[in-house]
């Protein structure tokens, strides 16, 4: 095998390999919409996170703006402390409302942010004051049955 | 009877000591390879030559198997997902399985059986025909001149091959799902992109392949260098390379996966 | 002619595990000569070469090459010494992944910073010396046994060593190639002023070309002398060896219990 032919093949191989890596990164992994380096942290306390998982998306108006990084239980208030990384491009007012929502009826759960009207913006490490827990299906059914029962009571 | 038991216990002890000794010997060899890598780093043409043999010659089997694995995944995934009306998620399924597990593992196994066995056989034959001794007598260290370039070429090729495998597989899944079956192209890609995470899925997959590359080539060069200088010795060493590599890849894959995706799921 | 000693071996002992291979060898090898070391298969001839090359360490005694005790040298000093000696392996040990040209150029590229045109001229000169200048583009797999041996010879003289060791240079060669190699060893030794140590069991070819012969049997030197002395020798071992007799001081049978005992003849009739 001639030296130059070999070099050519190896060059092609390396280019193909790096090309495949780039395809994976850009076309499949969608690198660029979300980057850890340019992000800030927000914390929210929830009474109940339901089935929220680490790495679940954080969405505002349906747009992914960040990800859940950590979920822990506070030993003082026995709330769940959810740490989120939010893309630097998106800033939220201080009275932003965070709730745990479900995509579709039985889909995965995510954190939804609804912006308020405050002038000041949340900074890295800030805590979101207004939160709404996950809707737990069992609780909902229980509530529904309870309401139905009380309605029936009223009729009599 | 007690004598038999003693002999049995002695046999176990002998095997354990032997295998620990061999493991230590292999680790020492691995360290020596790393220490003596200076020559191949200075003369990169040595590595390029080996890249041709480990990388380019493995490319065909990687391309073909990647394509077919992706096509099968696409077909099976579609069959199952369409029952739940979620056939657009087939892209996600193909991409996640390939990038996280199948790409690194299957490419690693193929790499071990194509390139790893070739490395072992080549170094083993160089030993049989006294080429390594001859090199030593010419005041050229065979570990620096023969082993290190092959090791580094393997370490470089493995992640590239796995990436090509995964990309090819996703293309195969696309062919089956979008071109043949007619799943909506836009949804195929956007579903995939919304779920596959660059940091957690792709980078972790690449990290895995790097580990596999180091493990397979380290095993291959060691088995070759350590082979008994006979025909049976070399063929035995080649077999050991493939078997040990396969076991190490699967074991490492479990360990790495449990570290990487801990707390997820 | 100089009578300076190049290799001196003193009370050399070597054993693999507990099996003694060499027992108290003494040799003196003079610069510019061809010295043959002969003996039956497995008598430790190759081990002797490995000891001179510093590939193995003696159990006791020493090997001195150019006034340096080989096994006491550090790795770097040993590699420096090895650049001045070379070894022709039994079947050539050509690098199968390199062409004939690259094989001969190997040491020049590894150990010198010579520019490529100079290397090219040197390689072609070395190949010309063994008559294979026209074969420089071939791969080792395309060579016959005798040609491969000649290429290996060219490779071993690539850096003009002071000492070349030949491990069975005549093994497996046809009579023509055999005398070609023999003559080459003689001619190159004289022309380059180097010293040659030929380990062989081919008595007739080697007696034609060498200056001095050592016979090793059972780990000790059984006899030594110039070829003329050896031919006239009355030592039973040398006589057996030179005249290729099947039985003699070197027994046909490997040591064993008596034939009758092994076949259970004694016990069954007892």
């Amino acid at each position: 095998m001639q030296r130059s032919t070999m070099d050519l093949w190896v060059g092609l191989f390396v280019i193909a390999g790096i090309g495949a890596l780039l395809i994976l990164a850009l076309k499949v992994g969608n690198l660029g919409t979300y980057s850890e380096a340019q992000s800030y942290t927000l914390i929210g306390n929830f009474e109940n996170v339901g089935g929220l998982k680490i790495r679940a998306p954080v969405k505002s108006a349906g747009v992914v703006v960040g990800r859940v990084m950590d979920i822990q239980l506070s030993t003082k208030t026995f709330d769940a402390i959810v740490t989120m990384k939010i893309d630097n491009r998106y800033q939220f007012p201080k009275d932003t409302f965070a709730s745990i929502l479900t995509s579709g009826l039985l889909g995965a759960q995510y954190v939804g942010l609804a912006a308020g009207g405050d002038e000041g913006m949340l900074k890295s490490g800030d805590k979101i004051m207004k939160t709404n827990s996950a809707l737990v299906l069992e609780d909902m059914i229980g509530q529904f049955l309870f309401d139905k029962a009380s309605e029936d009571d009223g009729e009599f | 009877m007690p004598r038999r038991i003693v002999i049995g216990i002695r046999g176990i002890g002998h095997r354990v000591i032997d295998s620990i000794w061999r493991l230590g010997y292999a680790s020492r060899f691995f360290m020596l390879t790393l220490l003596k890598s200076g020559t191949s780093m200075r003369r990169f043409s040595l590595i390029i030559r080996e890249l041709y043999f480990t990388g380019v010659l493995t490319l065909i089997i990687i391309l073909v198997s990647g394509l077919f694995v992706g096509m099968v995944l696409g077909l099976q995934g579609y069959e199952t997902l369409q029952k739940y009306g979620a056939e657009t998620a087939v892209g996600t399924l193909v991409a996640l399985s390939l990038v996280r597990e199948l790409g690194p593992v299957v490419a690693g196994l193929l790499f071990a059986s194509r390139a790893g066995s070739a490395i072992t056989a080549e170094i083993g034959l160089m030993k049989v025909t006294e080429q390594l001794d001859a090199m030593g007598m010419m005041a050229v260290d065979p570990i620096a001149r023969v082993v290190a370039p092959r090791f580094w070429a393997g370490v470089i090729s493995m992640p590239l091959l796995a990436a090509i495998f995964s990309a090819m597989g996703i293309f195969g899944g696309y062919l089956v799902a979008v071109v043949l079956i007619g799943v909506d192209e836009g949804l195929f890609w956007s579903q995939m992109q919304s779920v596959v995470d660059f940091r957690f899925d792709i980078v972790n997959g690449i990290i895995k392949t790097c580990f596999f590359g180091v493990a397979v080539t380290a095993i291959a060069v060691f088995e070759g260098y350590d082979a008994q200088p006979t025909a049976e010795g070399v063929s035995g060493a080649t077999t050991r390379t493939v078997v040990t590599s396969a076991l190490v890849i699967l074991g490492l894959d479990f360990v790495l996966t449990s570290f990487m995706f801990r707390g997820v799921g | 002619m100089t009578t300076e000693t190049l290799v001196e071996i003193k009370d050399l002992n070597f054993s693999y595990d507990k099996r003694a291979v060499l027992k108290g060898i003494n040799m003196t090898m003079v610069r510019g000569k061809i010295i043959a070391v002969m003996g039956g298969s497995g008598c430790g001839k190759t081990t002797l070469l490995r000891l001179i090359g510093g590939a193995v360490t003696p159990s006791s005694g020493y090997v001195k090459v150019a006034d340096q005790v080989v096994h006491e040298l550090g790795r770097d000093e040993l590699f420096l010494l090895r650049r001045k000696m070379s070894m022709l392996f039994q079947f050539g040990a050509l690098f199968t992944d390199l062409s004939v040209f690259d094989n001969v150029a190997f040491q020049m590229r590894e150990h010198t910073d010579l520019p490529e045109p100079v290397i090219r001229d040197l390689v072609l000169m070395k190949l010309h010396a063994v008559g294979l200048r026209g074969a420089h583009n071939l791969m080792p797999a395309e060579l016959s046994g005798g040609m491969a041996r000649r290429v290996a010879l060219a490779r071993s003289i690539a850096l003009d060593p002071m000492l070349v060791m030949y491990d069975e240079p005549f093994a497996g060669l046809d009579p023509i190639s055999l005398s070609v190699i023999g003559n080459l060893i003689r001619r190159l030794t004289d022309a380059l002023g180097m010293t040659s140590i030929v380990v062989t069991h081919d008595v007739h070819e080697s007696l034609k070309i060498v200056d001095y012969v050592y016979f090793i049997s059972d780990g000790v030197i059984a006899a030594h002398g110039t070829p003329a002395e050896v031919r006239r020798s009355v030592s039973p071992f040398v006589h057996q060896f030179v005249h290729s007799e099947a039985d003699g001081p070197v027994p046909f049978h490997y040591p064993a219990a008596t034939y009758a005992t092994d076949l259970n003849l004694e016990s069954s009739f007892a």
Side-chain angles (χ1 to χ4, degrees), chain C residues 26-43:
Chain C
N26 286 295
M27 288 182 183
T28 319
M29 298 176 182
V30 176
R31 252 183 224 276
K33 301 277 185 187
I34 302 182
I35 298 99
V37 178
M38 289 191 214
S41 309
C43 71

Side-chain angles (χ1 to χ4, degrees), chain B residues 80-104:
Chain B
T80 311
L81 289 171
Q82 56 117 13
K83 290 182 186 148
Y84 306 97
E87 64 270 12
T88 47
V90 67
T92 313
L93 179 105
V94 172
L96 271 191
S97 352
L98 278 169
V99 169
R100 279 190 181 178
E101 290 295 337
L102 286 177

Side-chain angles (χ1 to χ4, degrees), chain C residues 91-150:
Chain C
F91 294 103
L94 291 178
F95 301 131
T96 38
D97 54 344
L98 300 179
S99 70
V100 165
F101 182 93
D102 291 334
N103 260 287
V104 180
F106 183 80
Q107 289 186 84
M108 302 177 192
R109 287 188 178 140
E110 294 291 327
H111 292 315
T112 67
D113 291 323
L114 294 175
E116 203 55 30
V118 177
I119 289 184
R120 192 188 142 77
D121 293 350
L122 281 173
V123 169
L124 291 181
M125 279 160 63
K126 303 290 175 190
L127 280 173
H128 186 75
V130 297
L132 290 176
R133 188 163 39 86
H136 70 92
N137 264 334
L138 298 182
M139 292 303 282
E142 299 168 287
L143 301 176
S144 70
M147 282 161 81
R149 215 68 63 86
R150 274 148 78 187

Side-chain angles (χ1 to χ4, degrees), chain B residues 36-56:
Chain B
K36 293 178 179 177
S37 298
T39 317
S40 35
M41 294 295 154
R42 277 193 302 281
R43 289 168 54 189
F44 205 73
S45 58
L46 291 178
I47 295 187
I48 290 185
R49 217 192 92 83
E50 299 310 326
L51 271 175
Y52 178 80
F53 289 104
T54 49
V56 176

Side-chain angles (χ1 to χ4, degrees), chain A residues 137-151:
Chain A
L137 202 59
E138 294 92 316
D139 291 354
M140 269 166 64
I141 295 167
Q143 187 74 40
F144 173 76
L145 290 176
F146 184 75
D147 289 351
K148 197 79 181 160
S150 47
E151 268 174 41

Side-chain angles (χ1 to χ4, degrees), chain A residues 1 3 6-7 9-10 13-14 16-18 20-21 24-25 27-31 34 36 53-55 67, chain B residues 45 48-49 52 55-56 59 100 160-161 163-164 170 189 192-193 196-200 202 206 263-265:
Chain A
M1 170 80 53
R3 177 66 200 283
M6 202 177 269
D7 286 353
W9 274 108
V10 171
F13 164 60
V14 172
I18 292 172
L21 280 176
L24 289 182
K27 181 89 181 167
V28 179
N30 215 4
L31 178 71
Y34 162 67
E36 263 183 86
K53 303 268 168 36
I54 291 174
R55 286 178 54 217
R67 295 213 179 257
Chain B
S45 58
I48 290 185
R49 217 192 92 83
Y52 178 80
V56 176
L59 207 51
R100 279 190 181 178
L160 299 178
L161 288 170
I164 294 172
I170 290 166
W189 290 114
M192 188 191 296
Q193 287 165 358
V196 178
D197 186 281
F198 177 72
R199 167 69 189 81
F200 284 93
I202 293 177
I206 294 170
V264 178

